[in-house]
Amino acid sequence: MNREDFPMLKEKYIYFNNAATSFKPIEVINEINDYYTKYNSNINRGIDSLSYYSTNKYEEVRNKVANFINANNNEIVFTRGTTDSINLLAYFLEDIINENDEIIISIIEHHSNFVPWQKLCKRKKAKLIVLDVEKNGTISPSLLKNNINTNTKIVALNHVSNTMGATNNIKELSNIIHKYNALFIVDGAQAISNIKIDVKDLEVDFYAFSGHKMYGPTGIGILYGKKQLLDNMEPISYGGEMIDSVSIDNTTYKDTPYKFEAGTMMISSVLGLGKAIDYINKIGIINMHNYVVNLRKYLIKQLQNIYNINIYNEQNEDSSIVLFNINNIHSHDIGSLLDKYNIIVRAGHHCCEPFMKYLKVDSTVRISLSFYNTKEEIDKLIEILMKAGDYINELF
Ligand SMILES: Cc1ncc(COP(=O)(O)O)c(C=O)c1O
């Protein structure tokens, strides 16, 4: 554990909201600073040495991302984040959807993997099929088998849920989906900082994630897509740098992935992401994961001492997330109380309103751990939660 690498950990907070966004190590912050102070320039736009330097650095990050998830570098499209990646796809793939076709998602999807497909179905008069989930929050392959058919064109599911922390068996789901020649799109926002991702082994068609949840900056995300699929898709944003040639009558595009990156991109965020990947590789994602899983065991054990607590995902031992409510205390009150002690958790519907309804609650408290959290921080949290009822009576 390397707490000194993270400037935010020198501040007064105990931070348990890592599934929302992680803190950034100093290497990432310095990289962004260096770009603006030492070689600020646009990429691909000049034959000058400055532009050449920043273009090379930018493209090096594409290689790093590709290696990180075992893809080819021409299969990596830079976007603004997971939400952006999935929304873009819902437009890129519009042409393959016709009236009465079907798109499958699940009830536990984050809104960003729910609403784009709901909207696409409305635009094209297609049918949205929403799968229920198992008690632990996973998607059952047999339920998928019962719902998929030759009308199914797209299946879009999470790899790891941001509420239950459950990990789906992507490979097994993928085998079923491809038997029906449907496309498999995976929301990897919560998986990318917790498990080793190999898109080839998982056999997915598209995989989306965000830099800011993996110790990188905000404003940068990835859309991985199989080369052949990306080649066949039409861009939806046109302008500088994505074109091959423009005449009055016609425009041709650059090859994949450049045709999807129109205009000036978020260069500093891309560079920061490169350092975040170096950082994860230095510590080792498996080491990070093992540490978090052990810490979660401790957290669960301590939480069990809280009177009237209802933990929804105790069984998901491999996860970094704990989701709970304390009977008769609203999750927002717990969140506000902890905030008074500078302990940051997430309280609310976690951008998963359909799933909250499915759980028959309007909101929950979520603790999401990272490898820089400690047992001492958990002890402090438990100390406050033990007295939550008394404190809240005093406050209101
Ligand atoms: C499972 C999941 N999908 C998608 C998103 C959206 O990510 P972003 O806001 O970085 O686009 C999140 C963010 O919390 C998430 O947890």
Side-chain angles (χ1 to χ4, degrees):
M1 207 211 325
N2 304 51
R3 282 178 66 89
E4 64 285 357
D5 295 343
F6 291 82
M8 273 300 293
L9 291 174
K10 298 191 180 91
E11 299 297 319
K12 61 187 176 183
Y13 303 102
I14 293 180
Y15 188 71
F16 290 129
N17 197 12
N18 294 285
T21 196
S22 61
F23 285 170
K24 323 301 172 203
I26 192 68
E27 288 96 321
V28 169
I29 298 164
N30 286 345
E31 183 75 354
I32 295 169
N33 192 45
D34 280 357
Y35 167 70
Y36 286 117
T37 53
K38 295 184 183 151
Y39 58 98
N40 187 122
S41 51
N42 212 331
I43 51 169
N44 292 323
R45 284 174 204 271
I47 47 163
D48 59 279
S49 53
L50 257 187
S51 174
Y52 187 73
Y53 184 75
S54 55
T55 305
N56 274 349
K57 297 260 299 179
Y58 181 90
E59 288 304 323
E60 262 172 33
V61 177
R62 203 187 302 276
N63 295 340
K64 273 184 198 172
V65 174
N67 286 334
F68 192 63
I69 61 169
N70 194 26
N72 301 322
N73 60 1
N74 54 13
E75 297 175 314
I76 302 297
V77 181
F78 290 128
T79 67
R80 282 195 308 115
T82 313
T83 306
D84 196 33
S85 297
I86 299 172
N87 275 278
L88 285 171
L89 262 184
Y91 280 96
F92 292 151
L93 297 173
E94 201 170 69
D95 289 346
I96 68 160
I97 301 294
N98 295 307
E99 200 170 330
N100 298 326
D101 280 346
E102 296 181 6
I103 296 178
I104 297 180
I105 59 170
S106 88
I107 192 76
I108 206 169
E109 299 311 314
H110 188 281
H111 294 163
S112 60
N113 195 34
F114 200 111
V115 185
W117 307 117
Q118 184 188 57
K119 289 285 179 192
L120 173 57
C121 285
K122 288 205 167 137
R123 286 200 299 279
K124 302 301 293 258
K125 295 195 173 61
K127 203 164 151 198
L128 186 69
I129 310 286
V130 183
L131 301 181
D132 284 348
V133 288
E134 300 288 283
K135 203 158 185 327
N136 69 354
T138 54
I139 292 135
S140 140
S142 58
L143 185 67
L144 175 66
K145 264 187 206 151
N146 292 342
N147 282 274
I148 197 165
N149 61 60
T150 49
N151 290 334
T152 310
K153 293 290 167 337
I154 293 172
V155 180
L157 300 171
N158 71 87
H159 193 168
V160 172
S161 138
N162 67 312
T163 49
M164 294 290 277
T167 304
N168 282 309
N169 188 335
I170 295 298
K171 217 171 158 168
E172 193 178 349
L173 296 169
S174 176
N175 280 334
I176 299 167
I177 293 162
H178 287 143
K179 279 197 185 112
Y180 288 84
N181 288 326
L183 293 174
F184 191 17
I185 295 160
V186 177
D187 170 356
Q190 294 299 337
I192 196 71
S193 61
N194 282 302
I195 42 185
K196 180 76 195 124
I197 303 302
D198 179 331
V199 287
K200 291 214 171 83
D201 182 55
L202 293 173
E203 291 170 20
V204 295
D205 297 304
F206 297 97
Y207 198 92
F209 56 96
S210 303
H212 70 96
K213 292 185 197 284
M214 52 184 292
Y215 314 106
T218 54
I220 172 68
I222 302 297
L223 173 61
Y224 155 80
K226 281 183 184 156
K227 170 83 167 50
Q228 193 198 340
L229 295 171
L230 291 175
D231 281 346
N232 289 336
M233 290 182 337
E234 177 76 7
I236 57 161
S237 186
Y238 308 100
E241 292 308 318
M242 54 81 66
I243 55 92
D244 176 33
S245 126
V246 180
S247 66
I248 289 179
D249 296 327
N250 197 28
T251 296
T252 54
Y253 312 133
K254 277 188 181 157
D255 286 340
T256 308
Y258 305 106
K259 70 176 181 184
F260 299 112
E261 295 177 7
T264 298
M265 298 293 283
M266 44 318 226
I267 303 166
S268 63
S269 297
V270 169
L271 301 177
L273 175 64
K275 286 293 168 187
I277 290 175
D278 290 346
Y279 189 84
I280 294 175
N281 286 337
K282 184 173 77 180
I283 309 280
I285 196 154
I286 295 176
N287 296 332
M288 288 172 162
H289 177 78
N290 290 344
Y291 178 88
V292 165
V293 166
N294 266 322
L295 194 63
R296 185 181 184 277
K297 263 190 209 142
Y298 181 75
L299 171 61
I300 291 278
K301 199 158 158 244
Q302 302 307 310
L303 282 174
Q304 279 160 343
N305 297 322
I306 310 285
Y307 180 63
N308 258 339
I309 195 163
N310 185 6
I311 305 174
Y312 299 99
N313 66 338
E314 202 177 315
Q315 69 273 50
N316 291 333
E317 289 177 359
D318 232 20
S319 143
S320 57
I321 290 174
V322 178
L323 195 72
F324 68 92
N325 269 319
I326 298 179
N327 294 345
N328 303 322
I329 306 181
H330 197 278
S331 70
H332 288 175
D333 291 338
I334 306 257
S336 304
L337 171 71
L338 291 170
D339 182 51
K340 273 177 81 73
Y341 293 88
N342 300 317
I343 301 175
I344 311 297
V345 299
R346 177 89 183 260
H349 56 56
H350 317 290
C351 301
C352 282
E353 271 193 66
F355 182 63
M356 291 295 118
K357 287 199 184 102
Y358 186 74
L359 272 187
K360 297 194 172 59
V361 295
D362 71 343
S363 70
T364 54
V365 183
R366 180 183 73 185
I367 294 172
S368 48
L369 301 170
S370 177
F371 77 101
Y372 44 62
N373 288 125
T374 64
K375 284 187 175 169
E376 291 69 33
E377 290 180 327
I378 289 176
D379 291 343
K380 182 79 189 156
L381 167 87
I382 299 295
E383 194 188 305
I384 313 295
L385 286 181
M386 282 280 195
K387 299 183 210 149
D390 298 344
Y391 280 134
I392 284 165
N393 282 340
E394 267 171 42
L395 277 175
F396 301 105

